[in-house]
């Protein structure tokens, strides 16, 4: 019945359309069939498959954005509270990144997973720049790597300079006890004059600040204090107990490093989730734009197919009547 209706419609249109336009339409159709692959010659099935893939990708990116937002809310308050741990040490012992020392250890903090923008590449670039700045005769620079992404980049050109690698830090919720064990492990296995912790400080969902915190060994702190530097105003405090100044500085340096490392890991984790939110939001918008273009292509292809069938019906009706 549908074919009969189409034939009747074709006969009705054949009485209206002159033979010359039909010839022109035939030649145009022949040109489209011989033309390279374009909008009108794409199969609708191919376009539908592509649209389905883009929709699935968009669903995944939206879900990842929501997961990142949930994790960000959970960790942001802890990150802000951890900033108060290391600030008293900075006021007491100072934070002087320009101190010239022989043994530098760069602690690079990164994430274990990707899809979070350029935060890991930024940390690695700063670590390499610090190594270049502090290199020289009779100087030694080593790496301590936290996170799979920094490890993958630094192993390429600095494998022999990597002392310790820690991964899967965020497999469980981060706490000070966990990070203090890592800090103690680093201090026991690495000789240093200055520890330079490189991380991304969280500012907002769309921005982070690459930061370097410097922790000096007790010997360097005493050397700088004796040479008239601004470090270590410990003599202005009253010390109770039988501990010497060197022992107090040793304890303060260890506690300072664990507090700075704890804050650095939290700050970097917070920056990671914020960057992942932004990246997944951009991916979802790009998928939506691509879906709009594919929908337009699909509609044009379908209309072209319908027009082609109508032309064939009209041409066949005209041939039968002629």
């Amino acid at each position: 019945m549908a074919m009969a209706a189409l034939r009747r419609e074709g006969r009705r249109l054949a009485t209206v359309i002159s033979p010359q336009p039909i010839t022109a339409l035939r030649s145009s159709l022949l040109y489209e069939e011989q033309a390279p692959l374009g909008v009108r010659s794409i199969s609708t099935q191919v376009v539908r498959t592509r649209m389905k893939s883009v929709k699935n990708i968009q669903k995944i990116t939206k879900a990842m954005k929501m997961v990142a937002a949930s994790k960000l809310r959970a960790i942001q308050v802890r990150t802000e509270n951890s900033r108060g741990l290391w600030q008293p040490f900075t006021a007491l012992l100072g934070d002087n990144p320009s101190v010239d020392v022989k043994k530098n250890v760069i602690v690079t903090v990164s994430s274990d997973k990707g899809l979070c923008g350029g935060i890991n590449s930024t940390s690695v670039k700063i670590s390499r720049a610090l190594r270049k700045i502090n290199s020289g005769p009779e100087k030694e620079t080593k790496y301590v790597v936290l996170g799979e992404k920094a490890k993958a980049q630094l192993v390429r050109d600095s494998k022999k300079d990597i002392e310790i690698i820690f991964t899967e830090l965020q497999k469980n919720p981060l706490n000070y006890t966990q990070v203090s064990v890592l800090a103690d492990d680093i201090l026991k296995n690495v000789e240093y004059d200055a520890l330079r912790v490189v991380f991304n400080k969280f500012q907002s969902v769309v921005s982070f600040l690459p930061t370097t915190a410097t922790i000096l060994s007790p010997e360097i702190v005493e050397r700088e204090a004796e040479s008239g530097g601004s470090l270590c105003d410990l003599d202005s405090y009253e010390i109770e107990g039988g501990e010497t100044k060197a022992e107090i500085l040793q304890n303060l340096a260890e506690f300072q490093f664990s507090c700075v490392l704890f804050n650095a890991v939290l700050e970097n984790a917070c920056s990671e989730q914020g960057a992942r939110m932004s990246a997944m939001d951009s991916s979802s918008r790009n998928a939506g734009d691509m879906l709009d273009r594919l929908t337009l292509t699909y509609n044009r292809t379908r209309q072209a197919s319908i027009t082609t069938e109508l032309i064939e019906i009209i041409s066949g009706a005209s041939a039968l009547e002629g």
Side-chain angles (χ1 to χ4, degrees):
M1 294 177 63
M3 292 301 296
L6 285 174
R7 290 194 188 95
R8 287 196 300 270
E9 188 67 18
R11 294 192 189 97
R12 187 183 67 81
L13 291 174
T15 59
V16 178
I17 301 175
S18 61
Q20 183 63 29
I22 292 176
T23 305
L25 287 171
R26 284 177 179 172
S27 62
S28 176
L29 179 61
L30 182 62
Y31 173 77
E32 286 179 8
E33 290 177 350
Q34 294 176 351
L37 186 64
V39 173
R40 292 181 179 273
S41 59
I42 296 177
S43 170
T44 55
Q45 182 63 34
V46 173
V47 179
R48 278 200 303 269
T49 303
R50 184 69 183 276
M51 289 172 65
K52 185 178 180 181
S53 300
V54 173
K55 284 181 180 178
N56 292 336
I57 293 173
Q58 189 179 39
K59 290 178 182 177
I60 294 172
T61 54
K62 286 183 177 180
M64 291 184 67
K65 178 186 175 183
M66 289 189 290
V67 171
S70 176
K71 290 182 178 180
L72 177 62
R73 285 192 296 270
I75 201 173
Q76 186 173 356
V77 176
R78 298 175 59 206
T79 301
E80 293 172 352
N81 293 335
S82 69
R83 292 172 184 171
L85 288 174
W86 59 270
Q87 290 172 353
F89 293 102
T90 302
L92 178 63
L93 302 176
D95 186 356
N96 191 357
S98 62
V99 174
D100 187 21
V101 296
K102 292 183 178 180
K103 295 181 180 180
N104 289 279
V105 176
I106 301 173
V107 183
T108 306
V109 182
S110 68
S111 65
D112 291 315
K113 298 179 181 178
L115 300 176
C116 52
I119 65 168
N120 297 314
S121 299
T122 303
S123 297
V124 172
K125 287 179 182 177
I126 293 176
S127 300
R128 287 171 174 164
L130 284 174
R131 182 177 183 274
K132 186 176 181 181
I133 291 172
N134 293 287
S135 62
E138 298 182 358
K139 288 187 176 182
E140 184 183 16
T141 303
K142 297 293 183 179
Y143 288 113
V144 172
V145 181
L146 277 70
E148 192 68 38
K149 293 301 177 180
K151 169 193 168 185
Q153 296 187 49
L154 290 174
V155 162
R156 299 172 189 170
D157 56 354
S158 305
K159 186 176 181 179
K160 61 183 179 60
D161 296 324
I162 298 176
E163 289 287 326
I164 307 174
I165 298 175
F166 298 101
T167 58
E168 297 184 357
L169 291 180
Q170 300 180 37
K171 190 173 183 180
N172 299 314
L174 291 170
N175 53 59
Y176 179 76
T177 303
Q178 177 186 0
V179 177
S180 63
V181 171
L182 296 179
D184 187 58
D185 195 12
I186 293 171
L187 294 175
K188 287 180 178 178
N189 293 282
V190 175
E191 294 183 1
Y192 73 96
D193 291 331
L195 288 163
R196 306 183 189 274
V197 184
V198 180
F199 61 97
N200 295 287
K201 185 175 182 180
F202 177 78
Q203 290 187 316
S204 67
V205 176
V206 295
S207 66
F208 56 89
L209 181 65
T211 306
T212 303
T214 304
I215 298 94
L216 301 177
S217 65
E219 295 79 9
I220 301 299
V221 172
E222 286 187 329
R223 186 193 73 182
E224 292 295 317
E226 291 173 358
S227 63
S230 59
L231 297 178
C232 190
D233 194 19
L234 195 61
D235 293 333
S236 61
Y237 294 88
E238 182 180 353
I239 301 174
E240 296 181 356
E243 293 183 338
T244 63
K245 184 178 178 180
E247 292 174 342
I248 293 173
L249 285 176
Q250 181 69 34
N251 294 333
L252 286 175
E254 293 177 359
F255 193 35
Q256 180 190 16
F257 177 57
S258 62
C259 292
V260 169
L261 188 62
F262 178 58
N263 174 253
V265 172
L266 286 177
E267 293 276 4
N268 201 81
C270 209
S271 300
E272 175 193 352
Q273 300 303 332
R276 183 170 287 117
M277 277 184 63
S278 300
M280 293 302 101
D281 183 58
S282 299
S283 299
S284 299
R285 289 200 304 269
N286 292 338
D289 294 339
M290 184 179 291
L291 194 59
D292 292 340
R293 291 195 297 269
L294 288 172
T295 302
L296 183 61
T297 302
Y298 175 77
N299 291 335
R300 286 179 177 175
T301 304
R302 189 168 56 86
Q303 290 173 358
S305 176
I306 294 172
T307 304
T308 302
E309 291 179 0
L310 287 174
I311 291 172
E312 291 176 351
I313 293 170
I314 294 170
S315 301
S318 299
L320 289 175
E321 291 180 357

